[in-house]
Amino acid sequence: MESVVENTEELQFQPPAYSHVLDLNGFLSPHQNDSALLILNQKIMVTGVFEKLWRNYFLHVCADGGANRLYEYFDNDEDRSRHIPDYIVGDLDSVREDVLRFYIQKGVAIIRQTSQYATDFTKSLQLISLHFFSSSFHKVTRSSGIDTNYGIEDCHGIHTLYHSERKIWVDRDVDLLVLNAIDGRFDQTIHSITQLYATARTDAYYRLCYLTTTDLIMLVPTGGALIKYSKKFKEECIKNCGLLPVGKPSVIRATRGLKWDVENWPTSIISGKVSSSNRFVGDTCCFFDVEDPMVLNIELNLEKLSMFM
Amino acid sequence: MESVVENTEELQFQPPAYSHVLDLNGFLSPHQNDSALLILNQKIMVTGVFEKLWRNYFLHVCADGGANRLYEYFDNDEDRSRHIPDYIVGDLDSVREDVLRFYIQKGVAIIRQTSQYATDFTKSLQLISLHFFSSSFHKVTRSSGIDTNYGIEDCHGIHTLYHSERKIWVDRDVDLLVLNAIDGRFDQTIHSITQLYATARTDAYYRLCYLTTTDLIMLVPTGGALIKYSKKFKEECIKNCGLLPVGKPSVIRATRGLKWDVENWPTSIISGKVSSSNRFVGDTCCFFDVEDPMVLNIELNLEKLSMFM
């Protein structure tokens, strides 16, 4: 039966064993080489944490005009030179000529993909997968240069390579943080949400997360997840949260560790019954059990975030 | 059968008769007294058009901390005094003391509603409805003052009054533009989307639209709508658009006037099949026929917008 319980502000409990764990501190400081920071084409607004994020993530990719935003984030070439991405990818209709020249000169692999049947975001995700898992991708790119598009067919070479290699590679978890996925054009925001669902389905090795100036945004998969964080991080940085049935009406089977915990709670954007403006009271974790994948946003105190990275 | 057609850049056609018309120029310049501008609690970013919007709309309402944002938009009391809202409404936990004092002194009706079962956004919508349609609301508020919360019970008085009056009033179309509904905390963005659906269901007299720094966002109801605009406005101001099945998978029965027109096109955020990065090529209108209500975003060139207001 549907129920809602209001909890005290500090809740300690024994979490169940969950196969899917979302470690909030880990999203900011992955501390492993299988990690990538992807920059999309909007102004970088997470000042104060951007440079730490850059250091904490191993691979750095700019989607097309995202390269402009990286370039413009710094006001001098010395700082720029210390933040050189590994790849710039996309149809390259947005990146500025002078920005491209700067990064070419610094040895960035610039891979043009003109196909209009995928977005720069999708192209970037497939490129990152190839980087981590495909040996033939590295064989091709290493033996070629900028003049031959690094040996990648320039319309949908990445797409083709990804699909031919996808079934044979052995994958590992990859931490993937994306900047500028949300808060731009609204159809692009929604496209980013579709990527959460698509990636969970086809490339579940990604621990995919979006950072905005207000939130961390991720997907809670069917069956639910355990959300972990340090006590101090919760106290200092975590504010409101929402568990959002974007895509289709569904049921939150149970939550534990929220201010307002629910059970067997039907939720739908169309009916207007959505768990928003809730918050974490679980000491070091909380968990959600959901019937279908749902979008979780967690409001962060951006000013204090860098203390935890 | 599902189909997609790519159109030329300039398309002239005879639109069908549609009961539901969304007039884009009208959203910016309603030119009627039944119109309201609602300011939610985020920084006002639509500089360059804000003052024109203020003049074009008849009623002005701030939801709680939205009053701070109005106050902070101006750097002197002279400008502030020329932009005095009619109401400030909400639980008043966000609005600053000094801001409240300023607007009290200017005679603004400040109506406290402490209920936690509705958001400040919902409270504002009900207040605006009461303002336009309920004579007993005006009788009560006129005979009372700030010291008695304008005669409105201070927990859920507006809610109660709205529901008791709703069935007896005779409604008229009201143009309602909301600022700061999108691009804040993601659960608040989604809450704003639920309001599009809820309002279409319960208060269809609202022509409700959100303006962000990038988009106009509105709901296309079941059965579809005709989107009207001037030729010049399209050429100078309208850029990309998306027709987004937020809430549940659905079918776009037909579009006419888009660069990529579709027919019988299943669409779903979960499957990733979403019409985004499309654009208007219809000369002065385009139309959409949809099986369920869908969210439409239209990218605007904010710099040129004020020329069309």
Side-chain angles (χ1 to χ4, degrees):
Chain A
M1 207 175 66
E2 182 180 340
S3 74
V4 181
V5 176
E6 183 171 345
N7 289 314
T8 57
E9 293 298 321
E10 296 280 336
L11 196 66
Q12 290 181 343
F13 61 88
Q14 192 61 36
Y18 254 95
S19 61
H20 201 87
V21 175
L22 298 167
D23 174 1
L24 300 192
N25 297 88
F27 281 125
L28 303 168
S29 310
H31 298 308
Q32 66 155 349
N33 288 355
D34 293 330
S35 65
L37 182 69
L38 172 60
I39 301 173
L40 304 183
N41 187 12
Q42 278 189 68
K43 188 173 178 188
I44 297 170
M45 299 291 279
V46 291
T47 49
V49 296
F50 178 70
E51 281 150 281
K52 276 199 176 177
L53 283 175
W54 185 276
R55 280 200 297 278
N56 289 351
Y57 277 82
F58 182 75
L59 189 78
H60 304 94
V61 178
C62 294
D64 201 346
N68 300 340
R69 306 316 181 118
L70 176 64
Y71 185 92
E72 289 158 4
Y73 184 79
F74 301 104
D75 60 9
N76 64 76
D77 281 354
E78 198 187 324
D79 285 336
R80 276 178 203 125
S81 301
R82 276 184 277 137
H83 300 86
I84 300 297
D86 299 277
Y87 300 98
I88 298 172
V89 65
D91 55 8
L92 307 186
D93 63 348
S94 303
V95 61
R96 277 161 40 198
E97 280 282 340
D98 59 318
V99 170
L100 217 45
R101 268 199 307 277
F102 177 83
Y103 288 120
I104 286 171
Q105 191 210 327
K106 298 290 179 187
V108 177
I110 291 156
I111 300 181
R112 182 190 301 270
Q113 289 292 280
T114 56
S115 167
Q116 295 302 306
Y117 288 91
T119 62
D120 291 329
F121 192 172
T122 310
K123 292 168 189 170
S124 301
L125 290 176
Q126 295 185 339
L127 172 79
I128 294 168
S129 295
L130 289 171
H131 173 90
F132 283 114
F133 303 128
S134 164
S135 53
S136 49
F137 171 74
H138 290 286
K139 209 183 291 171
V140 170
T141 53
R142 260 182 219 133
S143 64
S144 312
I146 180 90
D147 49 324
T148 58
N149 202 42
Y150 288 86
I152 307 290
E153 188 274 321
D154 77 350
C155 184
H156 31 67
I158 284 178
H159 175 89
T160 307
L161 203 53
Y162 168 87
H163 281 283
S164 69
E165 297 271 307
R166 178 72 189 87
K167 40 193 168 299
I168 54 170
W169 70 46
V170 181
D171 56 40
R172 308 172 301 271
D173 283 353
V174 174
D175 287 298
L176 176 56
L177 188 76
V178 184
L179 299 181
N180 308 333
I182 305 288
D183 295 340
R185 243 169 60 203
F186 195 64
D187 56 324
Q188 289 184 332
T189 289
I190 293 299
H191 175 65
S192 296
I193 296 299
T194 70
Q195 288 287 6
L196 287 177
Y197 288 99
T199 305
R201 207 164 42 233
T202 63
D203 301 303
Y205 47 83
Y206 279 130
R207 286 194 287 245
L208 175 58
C209 185
Y210 304 149
L211 179 66
T212 75
T213 53
T214 49
D215 294 299
L216 273 178
I217 298 170
M218 63 203 77
L219 198 75
V220 175
T222 301
L226 181 72
I227 320 290
K228 278 176 57 180
Y229 39 82
S230 73
K231 191 171 186 321
K232 205 166 161 52
F233 183 70
K234 182 207 121 188
E235 287 165 359
E236 304 269 335
C237 276
I238 300 181
K239 297 160 83 178
N240 293 283
C241 69
L243 193 56
L244 311 167
V246 188
K248 67 181 256 198
S250 185
V251 175
I252 302 177
R253 289 187 192 135
T255 67
R256 185 80 176 128
L258 293 181
K259 179 66 185 171
W260 291 276
D261 272 330
V262 299
E263 256 181 51
N264 301 317
W265 205 74
T267 177
S268 155
I269 285 176
I270 293 168
S271 79
K273 189 171 171 182
V274 170
S275 173
S276 62
S277 299
N278 211 327
R279 60 180 194 272
F280 289 7
V281 294
D283 225 20
T284 58
C285 67
C286 67
F287 69 88
F288 303 131
D289 186 5
V290 289
E291 210 163 274
D292 297 282
M294 278 184 215
V295 176
L296 171 67
N297 76 300
I298 301 165
E299 187 188 13
L300 295 180
N301 184 341
L302 205 67
E303 267 112 67
K304 295 197 171 174
L305 208 55
S306 74
M307 290 162 46
F308 295 89
M309 295 172 63
Chain B
M1 208 174 67
E2 182 180 341
S3 74
V4 181
V5 176
E6 183 170 348
N7 289 314
T8 56
E9 293 298 320
E10 296 279 335
L11 196 67
Q12 290 182 342
F13 61 91
Q14 191 62 35
Y18 254 93
S19 61
H20 201 87
V21 175
L22 299 166
D23 173 0
L24 300 192
N25 297 88
F27 282 124
L28 303 169
S29 312
H31 298 308
Q32 66 155 347
N33 288 354
D34 292 329
S35 66
L37 182 69
L38 171 61
I39 301 173
L40 304 182
N41 186 12
Q42 278 188 68
K43 189 172 177 187
I44 296 170
M45 299 291 278
V46 290
T47 49
V49 296
F50 177 70
E51 282 150 281
K52 276 200 176 176
L53 283 175
W54 185 278
R55 279 199 297 278
N56 289 351
Y57 276 82
F58 182 74
L59 188 77
H60 304 94
V61 178
C62 294
D64 200 346
N68 299 340
R69 307 315 182 118
L70 175 64
Y71 184 92
E72 290 157 4
Y73 184 79
F74 301 103
D75 61 8
N76 63 77
D77 281 355
E78 198 186 325
D79 285 336
R80 275 177 204 125
S81 302
R82 275 184 277 134
H83 299 86
I84 300 297
D86 299 278
Y87 299 98
I88 298 173
V89 64
D91 55 8
L92 307 186
D93 63 347
S94 304
V95 61
R96 278 163 36 199
E97 280 282 339
D98 60 317
V99 171
L100 217 44
R101 268 198 308 276
F102 178 84
Y103 288 120
I104 286 171
Q105 192 210 328
K106 298 290 180 188
V108 176
I110 291 157
I111 300 181
R112 182 190 301 272
Q113 288 292 279
T114 57
S115 167
Q116 295 302 305
Y117 288 90
T119 61
D120 292 329
F121 191 172
T122 310
K123 292 167 189 171
S124 302
L125 290 176
Q126 294 184 340
L127 171 79
I128 294 167
S129 296
L130 288 171
H131 173 90
F132 283 113
F133 303 129
S134 163
S135 53
S136 48
F137 172 75
H138 290 288
K139 210 183 293 171
V140 170
T141 53
R142 259 180 220 137
S143 63
S144 313
I146 180 88
D147 48 325
T148 58
N149 202 43
Y150 288 87
I152 306 289
E153 188 275 322
D154 77 350
C155 184
H156 32 66
I158 284 178
H159 175 89
T160 307
L161 203 54
Y162 168 87
H163 282 284
S164 70
E165 297 272 305
R166 177 73 187 87
K167 39 194 170 301
I168 54 170
W169 70 46
V170 180
D171 56 40
R172 309 173 299 271
D173 283 352
V174 173
D175 287 298
L176 175 56
L177 188 77
V178 185
L179 300 180
N180 307 333
I182 305 288
D183 294 341
R185 246 171 57 204
F186 196 63
D187 55 324
Q188 289 185 331
T189 289
I190 293 299
H191 175 65
S192 298
I193 297 299
T194 70
Q195 289 286 8
L196 287 177
Y197 288 99
T199 305
R201 205 163 45 232
T202 63
D203 301 303
Y205 46 83
Y206 279 129
R207 285 194 286 245
L208 176 58
C209 185
Y210 303 149
L211 178 66
T212 74
T213 54
T214 49
D215 294 300
L216 273 179
I217 297 171
M218 64 204 74
L219 199 74
V220 175
T222 301
L226 181 72
I227 320 289
K228 278 176 57 179
Y229 39 83
S230 72
K231 192 171 187 321
K232 205 165 163 53
F233 183 69
K234 182 207 123 189
E235 287 164 359
E236 303 269 335
C237 277
I238 300 181
K239 297 159 82 177
N240 293 283
C241 69
L243 193 55
L244 311 167
V246 187
K248 67 180 258 199
S250 186
V251 175
I252 302 177
R253 289 188 192 134
T255 67
R256 186 81 177 128
L258 293 181
K259 180 65 186 171
W260 291 275
D261 272 330
V262 299
E263 255 181 50
N264 300 318
W265 204 75
T267 175
S268 155
I269 285 176
I270 293 169
S271 78
K273 188 170 170 181
V274 170
S275 173
S276 62
S277 298
N278 212 326
R279 61 180 193 271
F280 290 6
V281 294
D283 225 20
T284 59
C285 67
C286 68
F287 68 88
F288 303 131
D289 186 4
V290 290
E291 209 164 275
D292 297 284
M294 277 184 215
V295 176
L296 171 67
N297 75 300
I298 301 164
E299 187 186 15
L300 296 179
N301 184 342
L302 205 66
E303 268 112 67
K304 295 196 171 174
L305 209 54
S306 73
M307 291 161 46
F308 295 90
M309 295 171 64

